[in-house]
């Protein structure tokens, strides 16, 4: 784990002016441990918390965090939650901790985080903080010995589209936005203060194998795969529904088109007759006619999110399957020996 | 308490008496007798101690009102007397009108049909005076003109009026003093009134006067009737000399009576009585027949409205009349009944010795059907838990006799179509009776016949005594049998009738007869016969378009079929018969045994009434609880192994949705109480069975009370037990096969208490149907399981592939819908060809759903797989092209496809299509096997 490059605030301020793109999220060990602890304790319930830190040029430093209380779906509690947040910030400032909000973290179940809610929350944060990030932690995946930590942000083009709330095919093509382009993953960099690093080296045990390494050798992947498949199937069902919506839409459009066609033909025939009679031809467009009203295209946002989820599940299955094969071969080799 | 009450009422009645006596002008001298009067009243009350209080109350009210009327009347009579004294006919006329009006009131108040003596007395006085005045010609001449005019009109009025009361007047004339005496007796000597009620009763015959207050309610019911009848005899003047009555008089009278029918103010009951009197005096058999027909239809009219039923005694008389009609028809075969032609006026004049055909208007079948409907309705209306209902049920043989006779007659006259209809009526009365009930009915018919004989004789004698009725002129011997003849077994009975119907009946009659036949076969446990009948008749295909009552019959037949299948141990068949009835949860409605309340939409009163009219009478009910028990048990036997077999994807293969729903509900219950109703029992049994505890499941099922309604219960239970064991074994194998590598046959058969051969066969069946991946190891008698059963992961993967293929299909379809026109022009040939035929492109795109669409996309798939990619991309590319938005493209490309499609890749299409199904299946296979790996 590399030590953070030392920068002066002046430099940072200078960089700010150029507003370089966010390149990396630098997390303190303390923050990470707190997130892991919180998420793991409440798993499988989903929890969230606030990230605190500093925005330094293209690097976003996350130095501390605090959890939100488990909130229920209640108006009152929500207001209480906001109060709690403010109170917490004040307390932290008093003990001289960074109290600059840089985003939030949340736990997830098998990576099913690509939801409209997440996007909405992100948009909310984005309004206040220019540069914010969402840290996703997946306790179930971490059980297999991987530190499943992700830093996400929404892509700029997507945010623009989301603000205008326009997810029709044309617009998407125009922006050249596909489902891949909704979320941007930002590399995470861990950093500890040199003091801590030194202390850790001091503490480090002699045994070369850690708990995480043992977890990684676990042979049982079945439940995990099954869960993934189940989720995948749910996604498929949703996807089919979405598709039916589109199909319905297209059918309507086609119907409308034939109606328009019939109308146009009639109008043309009428015009011919009028011409023959020496009258002014009627206009060929009639905006007042209901059959010319464009039918609203269903939003593609949901489909995009679903596609994201599906790809996520597929990746997970792929990854786990690949790893398990490795392990199985390893086991086989061991047995043979 | 009681004594207090009595004293109170005493004083009340006393007062009233007092007032009544005070007001009575004739009874001024009565006052001294008052003390004794109270005593009498007291005793009278004691005598009627059983009377309820309010009846007492009511009587008191009536009494006072009546007294008032009587008072008025006697006042008028005084006026008349005064007028007579001064020979004032004008005032006499007024008084006469007045007294007539008062008479109406009095009659209404006393609620009796008897004319009060007071009135008769007035009439006598008037009549005497009138004759006197008329005789005295000199005096008449001397009269003033107005007086003379009044006299004349009075003469006519009185004559007309007195005609009605001729009998009573003559009675009164015979012994006017008796009236006086009795009234005086009643008024003066009150000590004797204790015995008076009885006295009076005996007196009624001779002396119908003395309309005393006390004894009205004691009088016999038919008393007023009798008097009225006597009135009528007078009225008709037929009594004078029977020989004088001619065909013409009867005919005229009949016309008169018939014309009065339906008019306001014509009593329906009286009408019937008048007509039935006419039947007695009818001159020719044809006339008698004609009148009898009118009698029957008048009897139908007695009960207005559709909801109520005909009074039972009227119904019986109606049946008698019908039998009489048949007697005549059989006796005189030259009389033809028809409702098509309007017969000649004087057709019925032709006497018994006339040789040609005599046409009489009438419709036997319609009447018979109406009688049947009334019988049905009466059974619907009567509370089935009363004795009345049972009594009513006993009338069934009566109707059967009638139907039998009508049928015989119709067959004799060659009207087979109508005979089939009548036969259906008979079938409908018998089809739901199991052999035992049928036997009981036969016995009852024999018994009731004897009893009827005695009764009717007694009645006859009473009748003649009372009425001194003239013997009817046309005496027709009872030609048709009055006793039903039943074959030994109900099956024979049904067979003869049903075969007649199949031969001659119309569509509906045949369908109904078929359903009855099916029902009856099912009732007799001949499941296969009735099932074959049902399948051969194809009734299930067109039952939807038949009338509701036939649909109900169909549902009943299905229910009975299900029960029969269950009794025969055919649980799958039983379930498929019953599941449809239970799918909507409206079984009561479907077999018309009660109304099911629906929470979601209220029924209009009109609907409710209709529904109530469709209800089956109680004795025809199929026991709903038994039906439910059978249904759920069958469903359980099918569903438990099914659920065990499809643990992964239990939603997909559901045999009985209803059962699943119930099971889910019962699973959700937190606290499991002991089972109470049928459903609870079956659910508890289901739970036991899915755990392999067959004994408990069997005990739970058999602990239901309803099974005692089942025929040969023990045999059915034995079958049920075997079946439960089998299903328990199957469930066990489904659930735990993956946990075994091998399993000994001995152990398996011991586990479920089944014989080894049975176990063997069950396991074999499961192996063959690939429910169980195993094989036999003969030497060790073991089942060796092959570990090919899907793990959960694999099963899920399979499902996923299914879902993916669905998704891919719909994707293709979506693409097709969007770019359909463009593709159609290019590479895809299957689509446009079909569409050209369809003519209207819009219709094909818009409404072409389902199979056609699906096929299209399939051939599209193959097209793509087959490699005709160039054409497709060409099409696709064009539609993507900037200029061609999908707006105007439709019409253009349609034209184009019509003309140029042939050139593009026409040949290729055929090859793709011909190999389409094979290619498709193979493609699917590949993808599936990929899923397994």
């Amino acid at each position: 784990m590399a030590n953070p490059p030392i920068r002066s605030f002046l430099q940072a301020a200078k960089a700010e002016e150029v507003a370089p793109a966010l390149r990396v999220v630098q997390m303190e060990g303390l923050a990470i441990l707190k997130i892991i602890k919180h998420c793991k304790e409440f798993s499988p319930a989903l929890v969230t918390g606030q990230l605190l830190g500093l925005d330094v040029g293209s690097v976003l430093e996350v130095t501390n965090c605090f959890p939100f209380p488990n909130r229920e779906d209640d108006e009152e509690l929500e207001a209480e939650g906001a109060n709690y947040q403010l109170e917490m910030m004040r307390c932290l400032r008093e003990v001289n901790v960074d109290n600059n909000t840089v985003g939030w973290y949340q736990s997830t179940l098998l990576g099913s985080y690509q939801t409209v809610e997440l996007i909405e929350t992100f948009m909310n944060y984005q309004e206040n903080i220019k540069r914010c990030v969402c840290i996703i932690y997946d306790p179930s995946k971490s059980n297999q010995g991987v530190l499943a930590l992700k830093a996400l942000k929404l892509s700029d083009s997507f945010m623009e589209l989301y603000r205008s709330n326009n997810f029709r095919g044309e617009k998407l093509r125009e922006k050249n936005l596909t489902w891949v382009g909704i979320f941007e993953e930002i590399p995470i960099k861990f950093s500890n203060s040199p003091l801590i690093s030194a202390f850790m080296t001091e503490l480090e045990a002699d045994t070369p194998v850690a708990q995480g390494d043992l977890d990684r050798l676990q042979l049982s992947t079945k439940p995990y795969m099954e869960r993934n498949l189940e989720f995948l199937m749910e996604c498929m069902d949703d996807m089919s529904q979405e598709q039916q919506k589109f199909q319905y839409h297209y059918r309507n459009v086609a119907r409308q088109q034939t109606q328009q066609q019939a109308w146009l033909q009639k109008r043309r025939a009428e015009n011919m007759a009028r011409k023959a009679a020496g009258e002014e031809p009627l206009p060929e467009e009639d905006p007042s006619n209901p059959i010319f009203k464009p039918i609203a295209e269903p939003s593609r946002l949901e489909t995009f999110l679903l596609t994201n989820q599906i790809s996520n599940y597929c990746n997970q299955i792929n990854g786990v399957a690949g790893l398990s094969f490795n392990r199985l071969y390893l086991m086989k080799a061991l047995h043979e020996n | 308490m009681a004594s207090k009450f009595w004293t109170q009422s005493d004083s009340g009645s006393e007062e009233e008496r007092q007032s009544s006596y005070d007001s009575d002008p004739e009874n001024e001298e009565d006052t001294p007798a008052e003390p004794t009067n109270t005593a009498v009243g007291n005793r009278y009350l004691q005598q009627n101690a059983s009377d309820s209080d309010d009846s007492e109350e009511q009587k008191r009210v009536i009494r006072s009102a009546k007294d008032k009327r009587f008072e008025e009347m006697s006042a008028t009579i005084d006026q008349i007397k005064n007028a007579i004294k001064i020979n004032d006919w004008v005032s006499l006329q007024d008084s006469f009108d007045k007294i007539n009006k008062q008479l109406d009131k009095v009659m209404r108040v006393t609620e009796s049909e008897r004319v009060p003596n007071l009135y008769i007395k007035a009439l006598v006085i008037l009549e005497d005076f009138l004759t006197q005045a008329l005789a005295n010609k000199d005096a008449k001449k001397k009269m003033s003109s107005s007086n003379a005019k009044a006299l004349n009109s009075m003469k006519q009025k009185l004559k007309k009026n007195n005609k009605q009361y001729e009998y009573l007047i003559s009675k009164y004339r015979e012994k006017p003093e008796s009236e006086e005496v009795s009234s005086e007796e009643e008024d003066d000597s009150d000590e004797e009134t204790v015995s008076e009620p009885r006295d009076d009763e005996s007196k009624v015959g001779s002396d119908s006067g003395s309309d005393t207050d006390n004894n009205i309610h004691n009088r016999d019911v038919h008393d007023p009737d009798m008097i009225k009848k006597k009135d009528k005899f007078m009225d008709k003047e037929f009594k004078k000399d029977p020989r004088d009555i001619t065909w013409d008089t009867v005919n005229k009278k009949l016309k008169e009576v018939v014309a009065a029918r339906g008019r306001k103010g014509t009593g329906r009951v009286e009408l019937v009585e008048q007509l039935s009197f006419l039947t007695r005096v009818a001159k020719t058999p044809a006339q008698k027949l004609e009148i009898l027909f009118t009698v029957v239809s008048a009897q139908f009219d007695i009960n207005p409205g559709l909801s109520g039923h005909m009074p039972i005694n009227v119904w019986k008389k109606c049946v008698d009349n019908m039998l009489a009609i048949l007697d005549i028809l059989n006796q005189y075969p030259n009389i033809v009944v028809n409702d098509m032609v309007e017969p000649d006026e004087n057709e019925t004049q032709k006497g018994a010795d006339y040789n040609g055909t005599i046409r009489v208007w009438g419709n036997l079948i319609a009447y018979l059907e109406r009688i049947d409907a009334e019988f049905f309705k009466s059974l619907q209306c009567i509370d089935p838990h009363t004795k009345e209902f049972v009594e009513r049920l006993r009338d069934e043989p009566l109707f059967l006799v009638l139907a039998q006779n009508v049928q015989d007659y119709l067959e004799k006259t060659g009207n087979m179509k109508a005979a089939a209809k009548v036969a259906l009526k008979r079938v409908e009365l018998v089809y739901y009776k199991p052999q035992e009930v049928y036997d009981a009915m036969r016995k009852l018919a024999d018994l009731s016949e004897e009893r009827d004989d005695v009764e009717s004789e007694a009645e006859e004698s009473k009748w003649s005594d009372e009425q001194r009725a003239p013997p009817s002129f046309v005496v027709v011997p009872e030609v048709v049998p009055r006793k039903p003849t039943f074959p030994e077994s109900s099956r024979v009975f049904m067979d003869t009738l049903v075969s007649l119907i199949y031969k001659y009946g119309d569509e509906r009659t045949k369908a109904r007869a078929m359903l009855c036949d099916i029902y009856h076969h099912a009732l007799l446990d001949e499941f296969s016969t009735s099932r074959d009948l049902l399948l051969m008749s194809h009734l299930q295909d067109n039952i939807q378009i038949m009338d509701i009552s036939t649909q109900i019959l169909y549902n009943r037949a299905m229910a009975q079929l299900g029960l029969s299948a269950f009794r025969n141990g055919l649980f799958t068949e039983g379930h498929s018969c019953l599941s449809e009835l239970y799918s909507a949860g409206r079984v009561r409605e479907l077999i018309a045994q009660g109304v099911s309340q629906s929470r979601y939409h209220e029924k209009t009163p009109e609907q409710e009434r209709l529904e109530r009219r469709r209800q089956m009478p109680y004795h025809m009910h199929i026991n709903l609880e038994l039906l439910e028990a059978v249904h759920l048990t069958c469903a359980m036997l099918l569903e438990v192994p099914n659920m065990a077999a499809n643990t992964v994807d239990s939603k997909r293969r559901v045999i009985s949705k209803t059962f699943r729903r119930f099971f889910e509900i019962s699973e959700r219950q937190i606290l499991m109480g002991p089972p109470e109703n049928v459903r609870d029992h079956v659910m508890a049994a289901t739970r036991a069975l899915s755990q392999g505890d067959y004994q408990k499941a069997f005990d739970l099922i058999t602990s239901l009370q309803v099974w005692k309604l089942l025929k040969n219960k023990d045999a059915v239970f034995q079958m049920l037990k075997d079946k439960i064991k089998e299903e328990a074994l199957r469930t066990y194998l489904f659930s735990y096969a993956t946990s075994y590598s091998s399993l000994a046959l001995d152990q398996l058969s011991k586990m479920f208490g089944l014989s080894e051969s049975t176990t063997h066969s069950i396991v074999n069946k499961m192996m063959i149907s690939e429910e169980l991946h195993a094989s036999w190891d003969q030497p060790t008698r073991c089942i060796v399981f092959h570990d090919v059963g899907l793990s959960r992961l694999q099963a899920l993967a399979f499902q996923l592939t299914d879902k993916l293929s669905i998704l891919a299909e719909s994707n293709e379809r979506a693409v097709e819908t969007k770019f359909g026109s463009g593709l159609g022009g290019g590479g895809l040939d299957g689509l446009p060809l079909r569409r050209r035929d369809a003519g209207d492109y819009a219709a094909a795109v818009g409404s072409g759903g389902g199979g056609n669409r699906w096929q299209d996309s399939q051939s599209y798939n193959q097209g793509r797989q087959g490699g005709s990619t160039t054409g497709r991309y060409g099409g696709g590319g064009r539609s993507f092209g900037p200029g061609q938005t999908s707006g105007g493209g439709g019409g253009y490309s349609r034209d184009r496809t019509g003309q140029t499609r042939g050139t593009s890749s026409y040949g290729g299409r055929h090859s793709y299509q011909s190999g389409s199904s094979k290619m498709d299946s193979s493609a699917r296979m590949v993808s599936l096997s990929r899923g397994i790996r």
Side-chain angles (χ1 to χ4, degrees), chain A residues 173 222 225-226 229-230 232-233 236-237 239-240 243 247 250-251 253-255 257-258 260-261 265 300, chain B residues 791-793 796-797 799-800 803-804 806-807 810-811 813-814 817-818 841-842 845-846 886-888 891:
Chain A
R173 270 197 293 280
K222 241 185 181 174
M225 293 285 267
E226 279 167 11
L229 270 179
E230 273 164 22
L232 195 54
M233 263 186 293
M236 290 294 186
D237 285 342
M239 197 73 173
S240 306
Q243 225 164 17
Q247 235 168 299
Y250 284 134
R251 214 177 300 158
V253 168
R255 200 175 299 156
Q257 274 170 9
T258 42
Q260 285 174 358
Q261 211 60 38
Q265 260 175 4
R300 293 189 187 219
Chain B
S791 70
R792 193 175 149 70
L793 187 62
L796 282 170
Q799 279 180 46
L800 186 65
K803 289 234 160 77
L804 271 175
I806 291 168
L807 195 68
S810 64
N811 221 349
R813 248 178 291 164
T817 339
K818 184 164 187 191
Y841 179 63
V845 171
S886 23

Side-chain angles (χ1 to χ4, degrees), chain A residues 65-269:
Chain A
C65 67
F66 64 89
F68 291 149
N70 246 0
R71 72 164 100 98
E72 321 266 315
D73 295 321
D74 208 339
E75 292 290 316
E76 250 176 73
L77 282 171
E78 219 149 88
E80 231 166 74
N83 279 342
Y84 169 83
Q85 208 170 321
L86 288 175
E87 185 70 8
M88 198 70 190
M89 303 267 272
R90 200 178 52 78
C91 292
L92 286 172
R93 186 169 49 207
E94 273 172 21
V95 293
N96 217 5
V97 175
D98 281 332
N99 62 343
N100 189 20
T101 312
V102 291
W104 85 102
Y105 70 85
Q106 69 176 49
S107 65
T108 182
L109 202 64
L110 292 175
S112 56
Y113 54 84
Q114 293 99 333
T115 56
V116 183
E117 287 82 48
L118 182 118
I119 289 171
E120 267 168 14
T121 326
F122 201 95
M123 295 309 284
N124 275 343
Y125 271 92
Q126 189 72 30
E127 265 173 37
N128 303 321
I129 312 148
K130 228 179 184 175
R131 204 170 277 184
C132 76
V133 76
C134 169
I135 303 280
I136 308 271
Y137 179 73
D138 188 345
S140 58
K141 202 173 175 187
S142 299
N143 278 345
Q144 296 188 317
V146 197
L147 182 59
L149 206 62
K150 261 184 198 167
L152 288 180
K153 79 185 268 289
L154 294 179
S155 70
D156 295 335
S157 54
F158 176 80
M159 280 195 279
E160 208 173 295
L161 271 180
Y162 190 84
R163 272 188 207 111
S164 61
N165 204 2
N166 184 355
F167 286 100
R168 278 180 295 151
E170 286 172 52
K171 203 81 179 176
L172 290 170
R173 270 197 293 280
E174 218 171 86
K175 287 275 175 191
N176 209 6
L177 184 77
T178 58
W179 58 270
V180 192
I182 295 179
F183 295 100
E184 278 176 27
E185 198 175 333
I186 303 158
I188 298 175
K189 210 165 145 194
F190 298 148
S191 75
N192 282 322
S193 69
L195 270 177
I196 292 175
S197 300
F199 184 57
M200 287 302 288
T201 0
E202 194 77 356
L203 276 182
E204 205 165 78
D206 292 331
T207 45
V209 185
Q211 181 60 39
D213 296 328
L214 290 177
D215 281 347
R216 216 173 288 175
L217 285 176
Q218 207 174 29
L219 279 172
S220 154
T221 51
K222 241 185 181 174
Y224 185 75
M225 293 285 267
E226 279 167 11
R227 297 284 295 279
N228 259 319
L229 270 179
E230 273 164 22
F231 279 122
L232 195 54
M233 263 186 293
E234 267 170 42
C235 281
M236 290 294 186
D237 285 342
D238 292 346
M239 197 73 173
S240 306
Q241 270 182 17
E242 286 295 313
Q243 225 164 17
Q244 268 161 17
K245 267 190 220 165
F246 271 90
Q247 235 168 299
Y248 180 71
H249 165 74
Y250 284 134
R251 214 177 300 158
N252 279 346
V253 168
R255 200 175 299 156
Q256 196 192 27
Q257 274 170 9
T258 42
Q259 274 174 358
Q260 285 174 358
Q261 211 60 38
W263 187 83
L264 263 180
Q265 260 175 4
K266 211 176 127 200
R267 182 47 71 85
R268 270 182 200 144

Side-chain angles (χ1 to χ4, degrees), chain B residues 500-709:
Chain B
L500 177 83
I501 294 169
Y502 291 158
K503 218 168 177 180
Y504 301 107
D506 58 12
E507 256 336 282
R508 180 174 182 270
T509 316
K510 267 197 266 187
R512 284 190 77 93
M514 178 65 85
L515 287 170
C516 293
D517 202 14
I518 290 167
Y519 189 103
H520 194 256
H521 273 296
L523 203 61
L524 297 181
D525 276 349
E526 295 163 17
F527 174 75
S528 50
T529 327
S530 60
R531 183 198 53 201
D532 292 347
L533 273 176
L534 180 73
L535 294 179
M536 278 190 306
S537 62
H538 291 286
L539 272 171
Q540 65 270 46
D541 299 334
N542 47 17
I543 192 71
Q544 294 300 335
I545 53 169
M546 292 194 184
D547 59 322
I548 291 180
S549 92
T550 311
Q551 286 184 12
I552 289 170
L553 186 60
Y554 174 80
N555 289 338
R556 280 166 58 79
M558 281 308 276
Q560 196 57 248
L561 208 57
L563 292 179
S564 160
F566 183 79
R567 283 196 297 265
N568 285 315
L570 302 164
F571 300 107
T572 322
E573 285 83 348
H575 177 257
S576 52
C577 287
L578 296 178
S579 63
E580 214 173 313
L581 278 179
Y582 276 90
S583 61
R586 294 187 309 157
V587 61
R588 278 166 190 282
E589 213 170 299
L590 286 177
I591 59 176
Q593 296 184 4
V595 190
S596 55
Q597 258 87 32
S598 168
R599 248 177 298 164
Y600 301 110
H601 62 98
E602 290 282 305
K603 284 183 198 120
T604 59
E606 184 59 31
Q607 272 176 319
E608 248 170 59
R609 229 173 299 135
L610 272 177
E611 217 162 83
R612 215 166 302 133
R613 225 176 292 151
R614 286 201 289 265
Q615 294 299 305
M616 286 287 146
Y618 184 74
H619 66 294
M620 293 169 78
H621 279 197
I622 300 169
N623 188 299
L624 279 175
E625 214 173 322
L626 180 66
L627 204 62
E628 191 188 3
V630 167
H631 169 241
L632 286 179
T633 313
C634 289
M636 177 189 81
L637 290 173
L638 297 176
E639 201 49 274
V640 168
N642 181 42
M643 283 197 293
N646 301 307
T647 40
V648 179
D649 191 11
S650 58
K651 286 261 156 42
R652 238 174 12 158
R653 291 186 201 89
V654 176
I655 294 173
S656 168
K657 274 208 175 109
T658 335
F659 180 83
R660 279 288 174 95
R661 203 175 57 237
F662 288 162
F663 191 61
E664 266 162 36
I665 292 169
S666 91
E667 287 283 87
R668 246 181 277 148
Q669 272 172 358
I670 304 160
L671 200 66
M672 209 69 75
E676 278 169 9
N677 53 17
V678 175
R679 200 205 288 182
D680 287 351
H681 273 90
V682 177
M683 289 308 138
T686 305
R687 232 165 280 128
L689 188 59
S690 49
Q691 281 154 16
D693 191 350
Y694 65 89
Q695 190 57 46
K696 193 179 167 200
F698 178 71
D699 289 346
L700 274 165
I701 294 271
T702 48
S703 67
L704 279 174
Q705 288 297 312
V706 281
W707 295 126
K708 66 173 184 280
L709 297 170

Side-chain angles (χ1 to χ4, degrees), chain B residues 743-754:
Chain B
L743 193 53
L745 179 63
D746 304 343
Q747 201 195 342
L748 209 55
S749 63
K750 217 187 292 163
M751 229 181 201
F752 292 98
L754 284 163

Side-chain angles (χ1 to χ4, degrees), chain B residues 230-272:
Chain B
K230 280 171 188 162
D231 292 351
K232 213 160 51 217
F233 296 147
M234 306 294 175
D235 179 34
K236 277 172 200 153
E237 299 163 5
F238 284 141
K239 201 188 141 198
K240 292 171 197 161
D241 186 6
R243 307 281 162 256
D244 290 351
I245 301 166
T246 61
W247 180 85
D248 275 322
T249 33
V250 177
N251 196 33
K252 219 169 83 199
K253 192 71 197 168
L254 173 67
K255 290 255 161 62
E256 202 176 292
V257 174
V258 169
R261 182 178 163 195
R263 253 190 235 148
K264 222 175 174 185
T266 319
R268 295 196 180 84
V269 183
E270 282 125 67
L271 194 77
V272 171

